[in-house]
Amino acid sequence: MPSKRKKVVFFYPAFASLEATAPLGILAVATPLVRAGYQVRIIDSTITPGFQARVLEELDDALCLAVSLVTGPMVRETVQVAAVVKRLYPELPVILGGWHPSLLPDQTLAAPCVDVVVKGQGEDALLEVVRHLEAGVAPAGIEGVGYKEHGEPVFNVPRALKPIRELPPKAYHLADFDAYERVCGRRWAMYISSLACPYSCAYCTNEGVYGRQWNALEADRVIEETTDLALRYRLQLIWVVDDNFLVDRERALEIAEGLVRRGAPFEWSIQTTTNLVNRLSVSDLKLLRRSGLTQICHGAESGSARVLKLMRKDFQTPGTIYTSAEKCSQAGIRPSFNVIFAFPGEGEEDRRETVRLIMDVCRRYPGAEFWTNIFTPYPGSPIMRHAAELGIRTPEAMEGWADFFPRYTVLPWLNGHQHRRVQTMREYLRVAFNRVPIAADRRHHVTRMMHNAIGIPARWRLDHDFYGFPIEIWLKNAAGRIFEPPKPCVDARQLATEVLPGQRARACVATSPGHIPG
Ligand code: B12
Ligand code: SF4
């Protein structure tokens, strides 16, 4: 039966971080819907008190519920909301898109609360699905889409990737930047200027969704769109979330020149690899700095050349981490690095090498920062082809992925005492040197003082590889419990020992995935 309804409701589950801003994936797939005359509502759990009731309210006259999620804690609220929706509106289709459904479409579609999955880019696919729903017919034949027919999964043929130049601009006007600013303390947005990455690091899922054909928007369009965005929404910062922004050196410099000419009134940051920063001269980097670039996030990943090789990251050596830190510091750009501990094959000595590199870089280049994670085996990453040999067991149903998170991963080769030791070491790394998160620092002054005070013993411990009886961390956590406001609920159980306001995640600076500081 054709429907008279013209409303599509999006739900964006919380991602356990205070670095809140508009979900770019949803803004991307919303544009074609808006252009085709559909009404779009976005309910983002991070900024919406009583988000579940709001979703249900909006669904009363809607065509469908569409959810965007990545693997991990976002699965929890997805399942929670979708299950209630299926109970109250059994006929209303629940559509899942984004990284998790793209990498695990079969298992995602098998969940009883899911009716349709969209694999890969969703701009065209979702519009076609919505049109089919409006016409009252099944999404048969729509490329990149899976759906259920009499309860059985049906997958249409895959959809070819579209280059970024052919994709429409994102519907930023649908975002409530005031609400994001209230949560985050900073007014910022994500922007994407290129797709894919030419590399294929063993732990990274990018190739599985976007392939390796790096393609980008022309410099002029980037200059125009970012400047307009910043002025229109009064943004302080634009985080360019490209997996590897510096693949085309000339384009990067052209963007910088254009922004300088325009007197761009905002800061921006990028993600890239150290080998590509090394191709730039200090004067190139100074130009980028003049254009507003304040931070470069690199996927350093390890201080051990042997481990970098195991990660299929031998395009980058520990030496290039130093050169990047040196050049960025000279240009006044903050160098940020992501590191992954416990990659398969990493030994105790490799881990020490990484810690020594971190300590050395931070001492030589004050302002340099490191964000660490524990290796997390994501489906769709090259290393997962060897999951069975490595003894990695993954959840058999969608719900199981909710506890899958790089900060906590327990691996067959890193469990019990060893896992606790690495976690404690990471805690000390977190306080040994200052790091600057996107979110405003709203910590109580006592917590902040405590953090600074334990920097000295933390550095001593890291230098001496001694993490027994971590009294400083206990004291810091106790101060946090007494003085800090409650943490976001989505991952509170697991995040109990984390300093949430200081957390930051990223893409090409892969902490496993892309380059995400954790
Ligand atoms: C920005 C970002 C973040 C930000 C999000 C900030 C925010 N306020 O939203 C922060 C920093 C919080 C973050 C955190 C993490 N992230 Co992150 N992040 C990204 C990044 C760099 C960009 C995402 C983005 O907006 N892209 C631009 C949009 C336009 O592209 P897109 O998301 O792919 O959307 C398209 C399709 O997927 C699809 N689509 C998306 N949503 C929907 C919805 C529907 C209904 C449909 C039909 C289609 C659809 O259509 C879109 C347009 O084509 C990606 C890397 C990347 N290249 O995308 C990693 C990435 C998504 N992150 C990843 C990871 C692993 C993490 C962390 C676990 C990292 C960590 N160390 O803690 C955490 C997890 C947080 C959580 N949710 O639990 C992985 C996810 C892998 C996976 N299997 O899911 C990625 C892919 C990085 C990587 N290369 O591996 N991340
Ligand atoms: S980790 Fe970074 S460099 Fe490696 S493939 Fe992924 S995006 Fe590219």
Side-chain angles (χ1 to χ4, degrees), residues 56-73:
L56 296 174
E57 211 174 279
E58 290 288 353
L59 285 179
D60 208 33
D61 56 350
L63 260 174
C64 59
L65 173 69
V67 186
S68 171
L69 69 155
V70 305
T71 309

Side-chain angles (χ1 to χ4, degrees), residues 106-143:
D106 301 78
Q107 192 192 71
T108 307
L109 188 57
C113 58
V114 178
D115 300 298
V116 179
V117 293
V118 174
K119 229 183 124 181
Q121 290 174 320
E123 285 88 345
D124 297 335
L126 184 61
L127 176 61
E128 288 175 40
V129 169
V130 169
R131 281 191 164 136
H132 277 61
L133 297 179
E134 192 185 3
V137 294
I142 305 177
E143 292 173 358

Side-chain angles (χ1 to χ4, degrees), residues 8-29 44 46 65-75 95-104 116-127 129 145 167 170 180 188 190-192 194-196 203-207 209-210 239-244 271 338 372-374 376 378-381 401-402 404-407 426 438 490-491 503-518:
V8 176
V9 178
F10 283 98
F11 175 56
Y12 191 56
F15 53 84
S17 162
L18 292 180
E19 309 212 312
T21 190
L24 210 47
I26 290 183
L27 301 189
V29 298
D44 180 338
T46 301
L65 173 69
V67 186
S68 171
L69 69 155
V70 305
T71 309
M74 286 176 118
V75 169
I95 306 167
L96 262 55
W99 285 81
H100 186 73
S102 296
L103 292 165
L104 283 172
V116 179
V117 293
V118 174
K119 229 183 124 181
Q121 290 174 320
E123 285 88 345
D124 297 335
L126 184 61
L127 176 61
V129 169
V145 167
L167 297 175
K170 318 283 181 277
Y180 289 112
W188 69 286
M190 298 186 287
Y191 176 82
I192 188 152
S194 69
L195 290 179
Y203 52 81
C204 181
T205 50
N206 274 357
E207 190 184 350
V209 173
Y210 284 105
W239 173 16
V240 181
V241 297
D242 302 17
D243 294 311
N244 210 337
Q271 313 187 110
N338 290 296
T372 72
N373 269 286
I374 293 179
T376 306
Y378 281 93
S381 59
W401 293 97
F404 202 77
F405 210 27
R407 292 171 206 160
R426 292 182 57 237
I438 293 183
V490 63
D491 196 30
Q503 231 118 55
R504 172 163 207 185
R506 288 276 165 132
C508 191
V509 196
T511 44
S512 318
H515 298 238
I516 303 207

Side-chain angles (χ1 to χ4, degrees), residues 141-456:
I142 305 177
E143 292 173 358
V145 167
Y147 63 103
K148 284 175 183 157
E149 212 166 63
H150 311 298
E152 290 302 313
V154 178
F155 277 94
N156 302 329
V157 294
R159 179 175 290 267
L161 287 165
K162 260 196 177 176
I164 192 166
R165 288 181 191 204
E166 290 175 26
L167 297 175
K170 318 283 181 277
Y172 284 98
H173 68 280
L174 298 174
D176 182 351
F177 284 106
D178 293 336
Y180 289 112
E181 186 182 2
R182 281 195 293 276
V183 172
C184 179
R186 205 148 181 230
R187 209 170 168 92
W188 69 286
M190 298 186 287
Y191 176 82
I192 188 152
S193 86
S194 69
L195 290 179
C197 173
Y199 304 120
S200 178
C201 301
Y203 52 81
C204 181
T205 50
N206 274 357
E207 190 184 350
V209 173
Y210 284 105
R212 290 173 72 177
Q213 192 59 54
W214 187 85
N215 62 96
L217 298 177
E218 322 66 352
D220 284 350
R221 179 162 163 198
V222 177
I223 298 159
E224 188 57 45
E225 287 183 349
T226 50
T227 311
D228 178 67
L229 252 183
L231 291 173
R232 193 182 292 268
Y233 302 107
R234 293 181 290 106
L235 304 176
Q236 299 159 276
L237 169 77
I238 292 183
W239 173 16
V240 181
V241 297
D242 302 17
D243 294 311
N244 210 337
F245 179 81
L246 288 178
V247 172
D248 181 343
R249 175 180 174 276
E250 304 315 316
R251 185 191 80 119
L253 297 179
E254 235 181 281
I255 292 173
E257 274 161 13
L259 291 175
V260 170
R261 264 199 313 276
R262 296 280 289 262
F266 59 92
E267 290 180 13
W268 55 298
S269 62
I270 56 166
Q271 313 187 110
T272 190
T273 40
T274 55
N275 59 321
L276 298 183
V277 175
N278 276 239
R279 294 188 314 179
L280 299 177
S281 65
V282 173
S283 64
D284 291 339
L285 285 160
K286 283 186 174 163
L287 169 65
L288 283 154
R289 178 64 194 89
R290 281 202 304 284
S291 75
L293 184 76
T294 49
Q295 181 190 22
I296 296 186
C297 302
H298 314 71
E301 315 311 356
S302 177
S304 153
R306 200 182 72 82
V307 173
L308 286 174
K309 215 178 173 94
L310 293 174
M311 291 174 167
R312 305 188 357 176
K313 228 177 164 79
D314 37 8
F315 54 87
Q316 172 174 286
T317 59
T320 61
I321 299 172
Y322 278 94
T323 336
S324 257
E326 164 80 37
K327 287 184 168 180
C328 287
S329 304
Q330 280 190 34
I333 294 172
R334 177 159 38 97
S336 291
F337 299 97
N338 290 296
V339 163
I340 299 172
F341 286 117
F343 188 78
E346 179 194 73
E348 197 53 51
E349 188 41 41
D350 298 305
R351 207 168 293 157
R352 283 299 302 147
E353 253 183 89
T354 303
V355 174
R356 279 196 293 268
L357 177 136
I358 296 176
M359 303 300 286
D360 196 26
V361 168
C362 288
R363 282 182 171 127
R364 283 190 202 201
Y365 308 106
E369 57 183 24
F370 282 80
W371 303 82
T372 72
N373 269 286
I374 293 179
F375 164 70
T376 306
Y378 281 93
S381 59
I383 196 153
M384 283 304 272
R385 292 179 210 133
H386 312 287
E389 289 157 49
L390 293 167
I392 294 171
R393 289 183 52 205
T394 52
E396 279 162 18
M398 183 166 96
E399 296 85 313
W401 293 97
D403 291 331
F404 202 77
F405 210 27
R407 292 171 206 160
Y408 310 102
T409 320
V410 178
L411 300 156
W413 57 94
L414 187 83
N415 51 29
H417 166 72
Q418 270 186 313
H419 184 261
R420 277 195 302 280
R421 191 166 195 276
V422 171
Q423 285 293 55
T424 311
M425 181 181 88
R426 292 182 57 237
E427 291 266 7
Y428 281 114
L429 282 168
R430 211 170 279 146
V431 293
F433 300 96
N434 274 336
R435 304 187 302 187
V436 187
I438 293 183
D441 186 355
R442 287 164 163 161
R443 283 173 303 169
H444 192 278
H445 65 272
V446 174
T447 325
R448 207 172 311 141
M449 260 168 43
M450 186 75 90
H451 191 119
N452 292 339
I454 65 176
I456 298 167

